[in-house]
Structure formats: C-alpha cells, structure tokens
Amino acid sequence: VRDVITGQSCGSRGDGESHRWWKEKILKILAEIQAPLSLLLLRLCNWALLKLLNHLFLSVQLHRGQLEMVLRAARTSGVPLVFLSTHKSQLDGLLLSFIFFSQGLGVPRVTVDGQVCSPRLRALLGRLGGIFLPSRIGQMPSDQDEGLPGAVLAAYVEEVLRSQQSLLIFLEEPPVALCLSAPAQEWLALVYQAVRDGAVPDVLLVPMGIAYDVVP
C-alpha cells in the first residue's frame, strides 16, 4: 500500500494533509471489504437461523467423513485454513457459518458477492463475517485511485491469513454451477499471491460441498 501511495503522490499537498487524505481513502476501502465481527449479532443470528432451519428444512445432514476432515484440518497448527466450497443458494454462507460456529470452529471470513446485496444486508453480513471485493472509489476514478483498492485488498488478505483466520471462498455463483466465478478467481489469486510473496509459508486448502434436495 505504501508503494502504491508513494508512486501516486503528486506532492500537491503538505505532508500532514496528504497523509490524512490517503489514510481516509484507505480506511474507506477497508470499510468496503470488511467490518468488525459482532458477537451479539452472531449469537442472535445463530439462534434465529436454528429456528429458520427448523421451518425451512425437514433436516440438515452433515457428512461425517467431511466433518471429521474439517475438524482434523482445524487442529493443524501454524497453517491458515482456506475452505473452498460449492455454492448452491444465497443461504450457503449463513448455513456454513452456523455449522462452523456450532462445531466450535469459530466464524470464518466468508466471501460474499456485494452486487446481490442491498446496503443494509451488506452491513449485516459484514458484522457476521462476510467480506467483499471493494468497488471503485468515487464515480469518476482518477489516476490516483488506480491500483489502491487492489493493494489494500491484497494487504487485507495477507493479514487474514497471517493471523490464521479461516477464509471461506465460494467457487461459483448461483444459479451458474460448475463454473469458476470471476470473484472466486480474484480471491484465489490473492491467496496465491500471499503465499508466493512469503506473507504466509503455506495454506491448507479444504474442499467442501453443500447440496439441497430442493434449493431454497
């Protein structure tokens, strides 16, 4: 991020003013990507989702072999977990987060397509662990905006992996199945870049699947 700022600074502002201006832009981009987790909302949504599942489905079944694989992967020390999942409905992120939370695995950072979310839903999902690709800053991006959102996003993914937070990436976007989506390609490229640049020595990729008898 510093390299991008250094290359784009035009020197038209004083040092103090320039520093504040860039900091505000960076914080604005970061706020688009993620929000602090809310334990109160997590517990409330955990309770509400359990009620919803009981009304929406006859049963929710966990594949015992896959669950044991996930639990074994979670016990691997010193390596961040990146879960790669199929994506069948917009309920998947909440459902998988609920399963992780109920099994004592914590709450992963879940990639969400921000284009299908209203601002209020996006704010709620952010407090529950959702993360989003940043949009362009402003309606008419200037040359100074070029490259900064990508640099902030790359630094954010490096910090998530370095702090060993779990990351859940959906590989497809419903209703298009069996096709790697553009957002998934972006997130996977950022994970690969973090490993390639040495931000983390390695990551553990854990495949996951989710299926419905009838997609809600």
Side-chain angles (χ1 to χ4, degrees):
V1 174
R2 287 196 187 98
D3 291 342
V4 171
I5 292 175
T6 301
Q8 295 178 1
S9 294
C10 58
S12 59
R13 294 175 172 84
D15 291 342
E17 184 182 352
S18 176
H19 177 78
R20 286 192 298 272
W21 186 76
W22 282 111
K23 185 176 181 179
E24 289 175 1
K25 291 180 70 66
I26 291 168
L27 291 176
K28 188 174 181 180
I29 296 170
L30 187 60
E32 288 189 37
I33 298 171
Q34 64 101 48
L37 291 174
S38 170
L39 291 179
L40 177 61
L41 271 179
L42 284 169
R43 292 191 178 98
L44 181 61
C45 286
N46 188 47
W47 173 82
L49 190 59
L50 185 59
K51 299 290 185 183
L52 174 65
L53 293 177
N54 287 331
H55 286 84
L56 198 58
F57 302 115
L58 292 176
S59 66
V60 176
Q61 301 176 1
L62 298 180
H63 189 284
R64 186 173 298 276
Q66 189 179 58
L67 180 59
E68 290 176 355
M69 179 188 68
V70 172
L71 293 173
R72 187 168 63 250
R75 290 193 293 267
T76 305
S77 60
V79 181
L81 299 180
V82 177
F83 297 99
L84 306 178
S85 177
T86 57
H87 199 188
K88 303 304 180 186
S89 85
Q90 300 301 334
L91 192 62
D92 294 354
L94 289 173
L95 183 57
L96 289 176
S97 293
F98 166 75
I99 292 171
F100 279 35
F101 193 69
S102 65
Q103 296 297 317
L105 296 173
V107 180
R109 287 294 184 174
V110 183
T111 60
V112 182
D113 184 2
Q115 295 181 352
V116 299
C117 297
S118 66
R120 289 185 178 181
L121 179 59
R122 180 170 177 147
L124 173 62
L125 294 177
R127 302 289 283 181
L128 297 175
I131 56 175
F132 306 83
L133 294 174
S135 60
R136 287 279 182 188
I137 304 302
Q139 298 297 322
M140 297 292 292
S142 66
D143 292 340
Q144 288 186 335
D145 290 327
E146 200 70 39
L148 185 60
V152 175
L153 180 63
Y156 171 77
V157 171
E158 288 182 1
E159 288 301 319
V160 167
L161 298 176
R162 190 180 290 118
S163 61
Q164 296 189 25
Q165 298 180 62
S166 299
L167 182 62
L168 172 59
I169 299 176
F170 288 111
L171 300 179
E172 52 197 13
E173 286 298 328
V176 181
L178 302 179
C179 180
L180 189 64
S181 67
Q185 293 181 42
E186 183 72 26
W187 289 111
L188 290 171
L190 290 164
V191 172
Y192 169 74
Q193 179 182 331
V195 177
R196 183 196 63 192
D197 294 346
V200 288
D202 200 2
V203 296
L204 190 58
L205 302 179
V206 183
M208 302 186 69
I210 187 168
Y212 303 89
D213 290 335
V214 177
V215 176

